[in-house]
Every structure is written in C-alpha cells, then in structure tokens.
Amino acid sequence: INVMRRSLRQNVETIAAERNLVVAIVENMTEGVLAVGPTGQVELCNAAAERMLDLEEHVAKDRPFTDISLDESIVHLINDVRQTGRVVSVDKGSVEAGERVTQVMAGPVDRQDADQDDEAGVATRGVVLVTHDVTESKRVESMGRELVANASHELRTPLATISSTLETLLDGRPSEDPQTREF
C-alpha cells in the first residue's frame, strides 16, 4: 500500500508540474487563448485574449462565456464550433477604418464521448479560440495594393501619351519616311 501511495503521489506531482508548465506557457503567449468547456464555462483565458477580444474585465475561470462581454460575432463563432465541430476562422476589425485587426480561429475540443449529445441534444464539446494580431500584415498588404494601383496609374498616363503620339506620327506621314520610322 505504501509503494502504491508513493507512486500515486509521484504521478500526481508529475501531472501538477506538467499542468503548471502548460499554464505558464499559455499565460505568456503573445497569441490570445480562450478555452470554453463542454458546458459553456470559461476554462482558460490569458491576458492576450482579454486584450485582443476587447474584454474589459478579467475573465474568471468557470464563468459562462455568455456572461463575458464578447463581441456578438465571437459568440456566434463559439456556438457554431460547438454545434458543428468544424474549425472556423474570422478577422475582426479593419485597417481602412484605423482599427486593430485580429484573426480569431476557433476549433473544437472533443471529449472522448463527443459523438454523443447530452439529453437536451446539445453537443458536448468545448472550443478553443486562438487570437492573433494581424494588423501590421494587413496594413502592409493594403499598402502593397495602393502601390500597385498608383504605379499602374502613373504608367498608364505616359503610355497613353506615347501611343497617341505614335498614332499621330504614323497617320500624318508616309510610313516610308525614315524620321517617322525612327520616332
């Protein structure tokens, strides 16, 4: 019995150390992580998720996700993943409007018996949301589009002038004229 007790204590300590390591990693990530359990309670929310999802208060563990001030599109995203079990991604915000752009990816966390719905017919799967700030990449992408549009416009004007000048030269003089050919 003592050997089993020591072994059990060692296993519990190992599991606790691994859990603490995982929690420390998630808490210090630059990406936001919000985990919602099968019953809809918040199981984990790091500071980056609170910042990127514009949550005004610290999100307490075991609080229903419907009770926190999530954007309606995020609530819809969570419910969609809970029902369908598909991975879904959405971008929040707009560079053009001067807002921060956050990419939100949601994926299911199935229990071993996740294929079984509970008695009410509601899926018993959790959801993990991972948020990533993509403002800078969207800004660079927008600047690239503007550069191409401006360069295209700037090239189009001189090319149109050259083309019309050539047409005028060819229409106004005989094509055998060496000066016309040179131009």
Side-chain angles (χ1 to χ4, degrees):
I1 291 177
N2 286 335
V3 171
M4 287 176 52
R5 187 179 60 190
R6 279 192 297 267
S7 176
L8 183 58
R9 181 179 296 141
Q10 185 178 13
N11 287 342
V12 168
E13 289 172 0
T14 301
I15 291 170
E18 288 175 359
R19 181 194 179 285
N20 291 340
L21 177 64
V22 169
V23 168
I25 290 169
V26 170
E27 285 297 324
N28 293 301
M29 289 175 57
T30 56
E31 284 80 17
V33 178
L34 173 72
V36 176
T39 59
Q41 79 284 3
V42 173
E43 292 185 352
L44 179 100
C45 184
N46 67 1
E50 291 174 353
R51 185 178 63 256
M52 287 186 218
L53 295 173
D54 297 323
L55 302 176
E56 296 166 2
E57 74 280 352
H58 175 70
V59 178
K61 186 177 177 188
D62 296 329
R63 187 174 172 189
F65 80 92
T66 53
D67 288 354
I68 58 178
S69 58
L70 286 170
D71 185 79
E72 190 64 34
S73 64
I74 303 299
V75 172
H76 177 71
L77 187 73
I78 293 171
N79 287 327
D80 185 37
V81 172
R82 289 181 74 203
Q83 292 299 320
T84 65
R86 293 186 323 235
V87 175
V88 182
S89 179
V90 66
D91 288 349
K92 267 187 63 194
S94 168
V95 170
E96 289 79 17
E99 301 170 335
R100 178 180 67 217
V101 181
T102 304
Q103 182 182 52
V104 181
M105 183 172 285
V109 178
D110 291 332
R111 293 188 338 194
Q112 288 180 342
D113 61 343
D115 293 335
Q116 304 294 324
D117 291 348
D118 67 6
E119 296 78 32
V122 178
T124 56
R125 68 174 49 96
V127 177
V128 171
L129 285 157
V130 178
T131 61
H132 183 69
D133 190 342
V134 293
T135 305
E136 196 57 36
S137 65
K138 293 290 184 181
R139 187 182 339 266
V140 168
E141 185 179 303
S142 176
M143 289 171 56
R145 280 194 305 267
E146 287 178 24
L147 176 66
V148 168
N150 288 339
S152 173
H153 175 72
E154 293 297 324
L155 287 174
R156 209 174 288 134
T157 303
L159 287 175
T161 304
I162 291 168
S163 176
S164 66
T165 303
L166 285 174
E167 286 176 14
T168 303
L169 282 172
L170 290 174
D171 288 345
R173 293 186 158 195
S175 60
E176 292 82 26
D177 183 14
Q179 190 175 16
T180 302
R181 285 272 177 228
E182 183 181 333
F183 283 135

